[in-house]
Amino acid sequence: GLLFKSVIVFLILPILGIYSLCYRRWKWLKSKYLWMGSLPAFAVVVPWHFIESLRFGWSFWNDYLGHQVFQRAVSTLTGSDNYWDYLNTLVDDRPWIWVALAMVLFFFLLQLLDRERISITWKHMIASAASATLLTIIFTLAKTHLATYIMPVFPFVSICVAASLYEFSSLFKKVGHAVLPLVIAFSVLGALWSYQLFFTEKMTWYMYEERAMGLAYHNTQHGFSAPLYALGWPELETLNYYGDTRTRYLDHRIDGGREIKGPFYLLMNTISASYFIYKNGTTIDPNLNVRYLSKFFVMFYYSGGDFRMPVFRLNE
């Protein structure tokens, strides 16, 4: 449950339904603590929504539900509309998924054997496997496709693997002692796999660039604080940490043509930088200098007066 946030927390409800159906336990619906716990929840949620509505009116609901929930669910943030994004992530980067799939397949094969069918407590495996499958389907249908959104699937996969190993070890008593070495082997494999992923370029290159830009920004302040703007890239916690700052976010949709008072720093990805740098390498303003240029990020420093942002052609 700690891996769910915001409106996504409501996905806990169908998961509770899956577990209740598999275990045939519905007493939690009659628990007074469940319903009493909703009272302090409403005491926090309702006043906050009411106050935000008074302060910002319709713009609050438009951004809160319209943009942050609905628009992000129906539009991609990764540049890909591929429905296989999460499946590729699971099978390519998470070797434990193959173990879980093998366990589930082995379980269904055992169901064909009448002698073994009654010996397996199926609800442990099916409840966790069904929950992982449901979450994968829901996040796949939602087009946001951020890699981190698939994280709630992992605990259920782990539960499925652990429950399967436990059930199968008790089923095959003669070879049950082999489960421990198997678990150790899987754990070592998973650790080594994760270790090598940590050093692959696709996992770390932009984080190292954020760190480099943060240090570059911090080392050039020298007693004055020029604001740092980020165009179209709001997730910059690594840069904020090393730069000891808080970036100000600029949106292509609403900040095109906006005037910004100098001096300031401005960072963006290399695609957006094409609006600020001509093909011959010069910038659109002589006071706009490149301070950091890498594979993905570009950071400018503007030392003049007011700077007018270019108008972005979003449909191209």
Side-chain angles (χ1 to χ4, degrees), residues 56-95:
F56 302 105
W58 176 248
S59 62
F60 162 69
W61 292 101
N62 184 52
D63 185 71
Y64 176 47
L65 293 179
H67 175 66
Q68 298 297 339
V69 177
F70 178 75
Q71 187 175 352
R72 292 186 65 174
V74 299
S75 60
T76 178
L77 291 180
T78 64
S80 171
D81 289 323
N82 183 10
Y83 280 106
W84 303 106
D85 282 339
Y86 286 136
L87 185 60
N88 291 335
T89 298
L90 293 174
V91 300
D92 290 344
D93 297 339
R94 307 292 184 267

Side-chain angles (χ1 to χ4, degrees), residues 203-239:
M203 292 283 288
T204 60
W205 57 268
Y206 65 87
M207 289 183 289
Y208 284 121
E209 291 189 12
E210 283 189 41
R211 178 178 181 271
M213 283 190 299
L215 291 174
Y217 172 80
H218 185 269
N219 294 334
T220 55
Q221 291 306 288
H222 301 301
F224 72 95
S225 180
L228 176 61
Y229 293 92
L231 177 62
W233 192 272
E235 306 299 333
L236 293 163
E237 294 305 318
T238 302
L239 184 146

Side-chain angles (χ1 to χ4, degrees), residues 22-81:
C22 291
Y23 284 85
R24 296 180 182 178
R25 295 180 184 177
W26 302 91
K27 292 183 178 180
W28 59 275
L29 285 172
K30 301 179 181 179
S31 173
K32 64 179 181 180
Y33 298 105
L34 171 68
W35 303 107
M36 290 174 59
S38 63
L39 295 178
F42 278 105
V44 172
V45 172
V46 173
W48 181 80
H49 285 78
F50 180 71
I51 293 173
E52 294 298 304
S53 298
L54 290 180
R55 291 181 60 187
F56 302 105
W58 176 248
S59 62
F60 162 69
W61 292 101
N62 184 52
D63 185 71
Y64 176 47
L65 293 179
H67 175 66
Q68 298 297 339
V69 177
F70 178 75
Q71 187 175 352
R72 292 186 65 174
V74 299
S75 60
T76 178
L77 291 180
T78 64
S80 171
D81 289 323

